[in-house]
Amino acid sequence: MPVATLVWLHLDDDLPALSQLAGLRKLHPDSLVIVLANQPDDGDALSLFSAGVSGYCNAHATVANLRQVANVVKAGGLWIGETLMKRLLASTQSALSRISGAALSLDEAASDSNDPMSTLTKREQEVARSVANGSSNKEVARELGITERTVKAHVGSVFKKLNVRDRLQLVLIVNGRRQA
Amino acid sequence: MPVATLVWLHLDDDLPALSQLAGLRKLHPDSLVIVLANQPDDGDALSLFSAGVSGYCNAHATVANLRQVANVVKAGGLWIGETLMKRLLASTQSALSRISGAALSLDEAASDSNDPMSTLTKREQEVARSVANGSSNKEVARELGITERTVKAHVGSVFKKLNVRDRLQLVLIVNGRRQA
DNA sequence: AGCGCTATTGGACCAAAGGACAGTGCCGCG
DNA sequence: CGCGGCACTGTCCTTTGGTCCAATAGCGCT
């Protein structure tokens, strides 16, 4: 196998992903492409994989994670996040009928390592998940049995760690990696 | 990330693949498992991936290939053969077309009775899309060349039509995380 | 022409979010 | 023991979001 060039495509949120890939292909027709998305979207990922990219991951992933992605792709593999994999599996109805519930025992703790949530403390993750489900601070407080004030503290901490400015951006990041 | 043990499971053709994996898991609960199949079967592969294996390939593959598989898995990836990946992508065509369909309605205001956006006016859709991308009212205003006041009006209208209480819920619906 | 719909905008007000400052208490570790 | 990390909480303030009233102008249809 010839050593291929590895090229990173950081998606511009305002343009269609496939057209950005097409533009990149003109410059690098034979390279292995890894797509970085600010707001990961499984639909985009599916389209991009169908178009032959080798990896699709969150642009906010840590450097170590991105290095891992690079290693996988260089070794000839594809980088598919857990959510997308689940989705691919779920959309294969015959596979589902064979699994007989085994898929439901997928271990969440073994989630892929470029998950931005992995940088958060346990409590922060709980708060982030709640917010990502659409809860207000008051609702999160009720759900977790803490004060609204504490929720705000955690939310602010999550923003800092994930480098987002508000809950809306948080939702986009968290839900880009997870399936409801 | 700690270096995990890599275990190869060479499938016995006479026993169900999943039960063989279960047996192996008892001995090696924390290892990364690569499955070798004498007669590769995509259905089996799907089941095994759902059950958490990291690789599935032909037992008659060359040593070089198997080494490649090992490298990918060690680097944290999944080894999915090309045919399986194509099958997974192909089997998601309905899902893909649904997504694309939704995208088309966003772009072309095509009517789709299952798409919550179809009940919105063109302008409302633009605002909703912008919000769903994470923009604040002020940003939406700038993007669309209108005042923040007008954005608020549209946003409020969108909330009413889609029966949501705030932008967070709107994002969940527009981005497909919640039913309208 | 009249009507309904849409896009646009304003004023006013309150709720919620976000952030900067502060603090306490618990736990694990060196 | 001292320290850092974490969870929890408070006060205070600003900004943003959301809602209720109102209005005008343009367009398409009957």
Side-chain angles (χ1 to χ4, degrees), chain B residues 121-124 145-147 149-150 152-154 161:
Chain B
T121 66
K122 188 164 181 254
R123 201 58 164 167
E124 284 166 352
I146 50 180
T147 68
R149 183 64 193 78
T150 304
K152 284 185 180 182
H154 286 309
K161 288 186 179 179

Side-chain angles (χ1 to χ4, degrees), chain B residues 32-91:
Chain B
L32 299 173
V33 180
I34 299 176
V35 176
L36 299 176
N38 297 321
Q39 299 164 20
D41 176 87
D42 285 348
D44 272 356
L46 292 173
S47 304
L48 291 163
F49 276 114
S50 296
V53 304
S54 300
Y56 180 90
C57 52
N58 193 324
H60 303 297
T62 65
V63 171
N65 285 339
L66 296 179
R67 192 170 287 130
Q68 188 180 18
V69 174
N71 288 337
V72 168
V73 173
K74 277 176 190 167
L78 299 176
W79 182 264
I80 310 180
E82 190 178 353
T83 58
L84 181 56
M85 185 64 185
K86 282 179 179 172
R87 176 174 173 179
L88 286 171
L89 288 173
S91 70

Side-chain angles (χ1 to χ4, degrees), chain A residues 12-29:
Chain A
D12 178 340
D13 295 341
D14 297 327
L15 300 172
L18 281 180
S19 60
Q20 291 182 63
L21 179 65
L24 183 74
R25 285 270 189 244
K26 286 177 186 161
L27 298 177
H28 303 277

